Amino acid sequence: GQQLNQSPQSMFIQEGEDVSMNCTSSSIFNTWLWYKQDPGEGPVLLIALYKAGELTSNGRLTAQFGITRKDSFLNISASIPSDVGIYFCAGQGSAGNMLTFGGGTRLMVKP
Amino acid sequence: AAGVIQSPRHLIKEKRETATLKCYPIPRHDTVYWYQQGPGQDPQFLISFYEKMQSDKGSIPDRFSAQQFSDYHSELNMSSLELGDSALYFCASSRRSRAIYEQYFGPGTRLTVT
């Protein structure tokens, strides 16, 4: 089946720093989505990307859909303590509308 | 804005018992997805429904079944529960008929099998 490799697995940064995480796949995806999940809660949609090469921002978040359609990255600028959580990339491929998730990036922010 | 509603939020069952999880999608959303998330894992797709018909099927055990009703809510029925079924179960919804493929997740049901 399709698999997404997400890196890094965890990050421990200082408040105010910028953060970058990415996902790669051997398969092509038609849609890339980025979610944030707090412990015991459901994933919250941050950004959706539909076109190869698309660059989209949502406040301090910026994400890009790779030109090959096999990768995506998420940047968070000027991190704050409430950015703490697990960030997941997810892709929708040609096999259906289900999401395939990456392994997640655990972000910890030091005030 | 209205979100996906799931009930119950927590459920404790014994081995070999049955459980029913309910999902109420965002109003006007026509597609429902079920995901299972084990401790420290990413969500794994189980099954989805579009306009009350099964749409896609993932790694859902034969002991599980699901359906979508005329009001678009969905129920996941789990029988002969095993210890390994303990997990967070999420429902997500989207509006496929309007080509809106973003999936919005509910708060989840935490199932504990003892």
Side-chain angles (χ1 to χ4, degrees), chain A residues 33 35 37 40-43 45 48 50 88 92 95-99 101-103, chain B residues 9 33 35 37 41-43 45 56 88 90 96 101-107 110:
Chain A
L33 304 171
Y35 290 88
Q37 185 177 30
E41 301 295 326
L45 181 64
Y50 289 105
F88 287 101
Q92 281 180 326
N97 289 292
M98 76 286 281
L99 294 178
F101 282 81
Chain B
R9 291 295 311 274
Y33 310 81
Y35 293 85
Q37 186 177 30
Q41 305 293 316
D42 56 282
F45 171 72
D56 296 302
L88 272 168
F90 292 107
R96 188 184 301 186
Y101 298 109
E102 295 107 347
Q103 293 184 23
Y104 294 88
F105 283 73
R110 181 177 294 279

Side-chain angles (χ1 to χ4, degrees), chain A residues 64-110:
Chain A
Q64 184 159 29
F65 191 148
I67 197 71
T68 65
R69 295 166 63 193
K70 294 182 179 181
D71 63 300
S72 177
F73 73 75
L74 174 71
N75 287 341
I76 305 173
S77 63
S79 59
I80 58 178
S82 62
D83 290 334
V84 166
I86 301 177
Y87 292 79
F88 287 101
C89 63
Q92 281 180 326
S94 57
N97 289 292
M98 76 286 281
L99 294 178
T100 299
F101 282 81
T105 295
R106 180 180 297 275
L107 178 64
M108 294 160 280
V109 179
K110 185 178 180 181

Side-chain angles (χ1 to χ4, degrees), chain A residues 15-89:
Chain A
E15 182 178 0
E17 289 184 346
D18 296 343
V19 172
S20 184
M21 59 193 79
N22 68 85
C23 276
T24 60
S25 172
S26 58
S27 305
I28 288 175
F29 285 96
N30 297 323
T31 305
W32 284 92
L33 304 171
W34 285 91
Y35 290 88
K36 178 176 183 279
Q37 185 177 30
D38 292 327
E41 301 295 326
V44 174
L45 181 64
L46 300 174
I47 290 181
L49 302 159
Y50 289 105
K51 298 179 183 177
E54 178 182 358
L55 183 71
T56 298
S57 292
N58 178 9
R60 294 180 294 108
L61 278 60
T62 301
Q64 184 159 29
F65 191 148
I67 197 71
T68 65
R69 295 166 63 193
K70 294 182 179 181
D71 63 300
S72 177
F73 73 75
L74 174 71
N75 287 341
I76 305 173
S77 63
S79 59
I80 58 178
S82 62
D83 290 334
V84 166
I86 301 177
Y87 292 79
F88 287 101
C89 63

